[in-house]
Amino acid sequence: MMRRLNRHTLLAFAGLAVGIVGLLVQWTADPGKFSAAQGFFGLAFPPGILFIAVAGALSAATARWWWHAVFSVFIAFWIAGVGGISGQLTPNLLSSNPGTVAGNVVMTAGLLLAFAAGIASMLRARRLARA
């Protein structure tokens, strides 16, 4: 039986979508950065789009369980959190290309929303599962 998605889950999905939009802005601003030769498995587009989409699909596929948003939380933490800690986001935020900077800000904001909303979604769903 599929559980009705709560508003926090919907916000997590919206955050993932905004993250993808941010990556599309970065790709549009500097497509050479994502050339097939430099890309992930020969992809000529930002691989983060695929990772975020898969995380969203896994969250949707597991919506019957209270922990379903863990995939959204994980990908947001991996890209924004670990990317920030490891210094991978900083060059894009300091880029001379305004599209790269804007896309990075949009992506990070969306992923932070997905992270916070995903945690709130799991907490709410867990409380309801115990009731």
Side-chain angles (χ1 to χ4, degrees), residues 26-45:
Q26 290 180 61
W27 186 25
T28 303
D30 188 5
K33 184 183 222 176
F34 303 104
S35 68
Q38 298 171 342
F40 182 76
F41 291 122
L43 299 176
F45 66 91

Side-chain angles (χ1 to χ4, degrees), residues 70-98:
V70 71
F71 301 105
S72 300
V73 171
F74 175 75
I75 197 64
F77 175 74
W78 183 258
I79 293 174
V82 174
I85 292 167
S86 69
Q88 298 294 315
L89 291 179
T90 308
N92 288 334
L93 288 171
L94 300 175
S95 172
S96 61
N97 184 328

